Amino acid sequence: MRLVLLGAPGSGKGTQAARLKEALGVPHISTGDLLRAAVAAGTPLGQQAKAVMERGELVSDDIVLGMLEERLAQGDVGKGFILDGYPRNLAQANALEALLERIQQPVDLAVQLDVGTELLIQRLAGRAKEEGRADDNPESVRNRLRVYTDQTAPVIDFYRQRGKLVCVYGVGSMDEVSQRVLEAIRNHAATC
Ligand code: B4P
């Protein structure tokens, strides 16, 4: 199963991807995690990405695509993968489609997690207190939500037009949302 998880910052993509990984037995690939690891390791790529991420903007398409290509070349993706945080704009959606066509592993389904803006802000403020992630401060969060509306939301239509989109209501306990996601995947239901 090759899945793409879509949703605004704080919608639960990372949270649900970690759970789906267990349920589906395929690796969870988060471009945010890959970038944070590069920042923590102080690689040249990480040094370039650090300030961009802290401002809540998108890291350049070339850098993220290169990183993703490298990750998809690893041996554990044979049975599929869960992509979390990619694609984040239409250029990335097209690049991903071309890359996956080339390796003959097209996306099966894109799952869109729907959560209202107020709750997104509340969740990210909660994480800021608990984990102190550099981009969970109020200004970066506002920026990330703006970037999502302007650049990432059009990706929803990209998958809708290909008949690969399901939408899941992302409000409720983490378990409730996981159940809804699994049901939507199994039935290819909740098309939207
Ligand atoms: P990401 O790491 O993808 O960060 P995110 O969008 O905030 O989502 P995340 O998965 O971490 O949070 P979640 O909703 O699970 O990206 C960070 C930055 O990296 C970007 O701003 C950008 O700069 C860069 N980047 C990443 N990918 C890129 C790309 N493709 N191109 C360019 N740049 C890229 O969870 C949020 C919080 O909500 C958590 O605290 C969680 O516990 C809580 N939560 C989740 N589900 C809940 C529920 N049901 N109930 C209550 N709380 C819940």
Side-chain angles (χ1 to χ4, degrees):
M1 168 73 66
R2 291 175 294 272
L3 273 188
V4 163
L5 274 188
L6 302 173
S11 59
K13 298 183 303 292
T15 306
Q16 292 304 324
R19 290 160 165 248
L20 279 173
K21 172 186 159 179
E22 304 303 327
L24 302 175
V26 294
H28 166 203
I29 302 178
S30 156
T31 46
D33 287 350
L34 292 174
L35 285 165
R36 279 185 288 277
V39 171
T43 64
L45 184 155
Q47 284 169 13
Q48 254 177 288
K50 187 172 187 288
V52 179
M53 291 174 76
E54 281 176 7
R55 286 197 302 272
E57 289 164 12
L58 294 184
V59 176
S60 94
D61 290 345
D62 290 351
I63 289 184
V64 187
L65 180 64
M67 226 176 48
L68 182 65
E69 256 184 293
E70 228 170 76
R71 179 61 187 88
L72 287 174
Q74 290 174 24
D76 60 345
V77 297
K79 284 193 192 152
F81 48 78
I82 301 156
L83 259 189
D84 154 21
Y86 195 97
R88 253 181 158 89
N89 58 30
L90 284 176
Q92 292 187 4
N94 282 304
L96 179 67
E97 191 171 57
L99 167 63
L100 295 182
E101 253 171 41
R102 206 162 62 235
I103 59 173
Q104 297 182 325
Q105 296 206 29
V107 165
D108 294 311
L109 212 56
V111 178
Q112 159 73 11
L113 289 173
D114 284 326
V115 175
T117 309
E118 265 180 44
L119 188 53
L120 296 174
I121 293 171
Q122 222 173 296
R123 285 183 183 177
L124 294 172
R127 186 167 66 183
K129 269 198 204 135
E130 280 165 27
E131 297 176 19
R133 212 172 92 173
D135 60 348
D136 280 341
N137 65 78
E139 201 185 326
S140 298
V141 166
R142 270 196 301 278
N143 220 359
R144 284 157 65 198
L145 290 171
R146 197 164 37 233
V147 167
Y148 175 78
T149 307
D150 293 348
Q151 301 192 46
T152 311
V155 174
I156 298 171
D157 270 338
F158 179 94
Y159 287 107
R160 183 184 284 123
Q161 282 159 11
R162 285 155 177 74
K164 291 185 174 181
L165 182 73
V166 294
C167 290
V168 171
Y169 184 51
V171 180
S173 73
M174 292 176 190
D175 285 344
E176 282 168 340
V177 178
S178 300
Q179 283 310 316
R180 284 182 212 138
V181 172
L182 281 172
E183 220 163 277
I185 293 171
R186 288 196 180 118
N187 305 331
H188 195 144
T191 39
C192 44

